[in-house]
Amino acid sequence: QTTTALSEFSAAEKDDFPDATAYLSLVQLYMQASQIGQASDQIRAGLNALPGDPQLLNEGMFVSLVARDNTEAKRRFDEIERLYPNSGYALWSGCLYYYATLQSANALSYCDRLATQFPNNHIAHSNYGWAAIDANQIQVASREFSKSYDLVSSTLNQLTENQVVDLLWGTTLTEYLTGNKKETQKLLQVIREKYPTAATVTGLQQMPLLWSPTTMSRIETVLREFPK
């Protein structure tokens, strides 16, 4: 099924697709398969065909951050801010860029406005939650991860594995940081049983998840404190 989709979207690109859809769809497929290099290639091809496209710039910044290419991520973020100031694209990019580059204080204003502008988007709330954790605003983080979960609780089976892992770990960390060790252990058991790759630091590093070094350090602390 994935091979078929890749073939179809690749064909759409060659047919001079009039928008970014084919490129973005291929990027998402490659990212889900943790094929970051191929995803980066699709971003470059898309921006060559559609210079300044906001969706490609935004997704390209995300891919660059996952690839730990902060220089390219900054260039794409700056271009979004220049071409689309105060837009939803600028808010998405600012929230992620500043969080991933250990500038959580700067991230918070972007993330707050993002969640306010897109109140029904679960990713907007979880992104805000991650930035709040790094900024040691744990109550804000707990609130935002709760909002994110409430938005998807009835449709969890429609989320990607990466999205579920992101939400599970965000909730686990907020429980841990508020001192709720019983709930932390319960959530960690769910991760270990259902998503074993996400239950080790090495496994998480292989997944296309955008977490700051601070976040990864905290996850490592939790895993050490609650061994299998």
Side-chain angles (χ1 to χ4, degrees):
Q1 191 173 10
T2 300
T3 302
T4 301
L6 285 169
S7 299
E8 290 175 351
F9 287 126
S10 295
E13 284 184 348
K14 293 175 183 176
D15 288 340
D16 294 325
F17 226 70
D19 58 33
T21 302
Y23 299 103
L24 291 167
S25 297
L26 281 168
V27 169
Q28 290 172 8
L29 286 170
Y30 283 129
M31 290 298 284
Q32 287 172 17
S34 297
Q35 296 177 345
I36 312 302
Q38 289 90 329
S40 296
D41 290 344
Q42 289 303 316
I43 291 293
R44 283 192 290 271
L47 287 171
N48 283 336
L50 301 162
D53 181 89
Q55 291 176 286
L56 285 167
L57 282 171
N58 194 37
E59 192 68 15
M61 188 209 68
F62 171 77
V63 172
S64 295
L65 288 170
V66 172
R68 300 293 184 256
D69 186 351
N70 290 353
T71 300
E72 183 62 18
K74 179 66 162 61
R75 190 189 68 77
R76 286 170 173 163
F77 171 49
D78 287 344
E79 191 165 0
I80 291 169
E81 290 236 290
R82 180 178 63 83
L83 294 174
Y84 311 101
N86 301 312
S87 67
Y89 295 112
L91 296 181
W92 278 102
S93 297
C95 177
L96 284 176
Y97 174 77
Y98 285 121
Y99 160 70
T101 56
L102 297 176
Q103 302 176 72
S104 57
N106 291 333
L108 288 178
S109 65
Y110 284 87
C111 299
D112 186 11
R113 286 180 288 158
L114 177 68
T116 299
Q117 187 167 327
F118 300 97
N120 295 319
N121 188 301
H122 71 97
I123 299 175
H125 289 289
S126 62
N127 286 352
Y128 189 6
W130 285 115
I133 284 179
D134 268 23
N136 291 315
Q137 295 190 12
I138 309 306
Q139 294 305 319
V140 172
S142 181
R143 180 193 72 204
E144 292 305 313
F145 281 115
S146 291
K147 287 182 179 179
S148 182
Y149 176 77
D150 288 344
L151 287 168
V152 298
S153 59
S154 62
T155 56
L156 281 172
N157 62 331
Q158 296 177 21
L159 300 184
T160 67
E161 179 176 331
N162 294 330
Q163 288 173 333
V164 175
V165 167
D166 185 88
L167 186 54
L168 272 172
W169 263 117
T171 306
T172 300
L173 278 186
T174 56
E175 293 292 349
Y176 175 77
L177 293 168
T178 54
N180 192 343
K181 295 192 175 184
K182 183 176 180 180
E183 192 63 25
T184 300
Q185 288 179 292
K186 186 187 299 183
L187 288 165
L188 192 53
Q189 187 63 28
V190 172
I191 294 171
R192 283 173 168 149
E193 289 179 358
K194 295 190 175 182
Y195 307 98
T197 300
T200 68
V201 172
T202 302
L204 286 170
Q205 289 171 338
Q206 303 306 311
M207 299 179 73
L209 295 166
L210 182 56
W211 287 339
S212 73
T214 301
T215 294
M216 291 304 296
S217 176
R218 281 175 159 160
I219 287 175
E220 193 168 7
T221 298
V222 171
L223 290 170
R224 278 200 310 266
E225 186 166 336
F226 301 99
K228 293 179 71 171

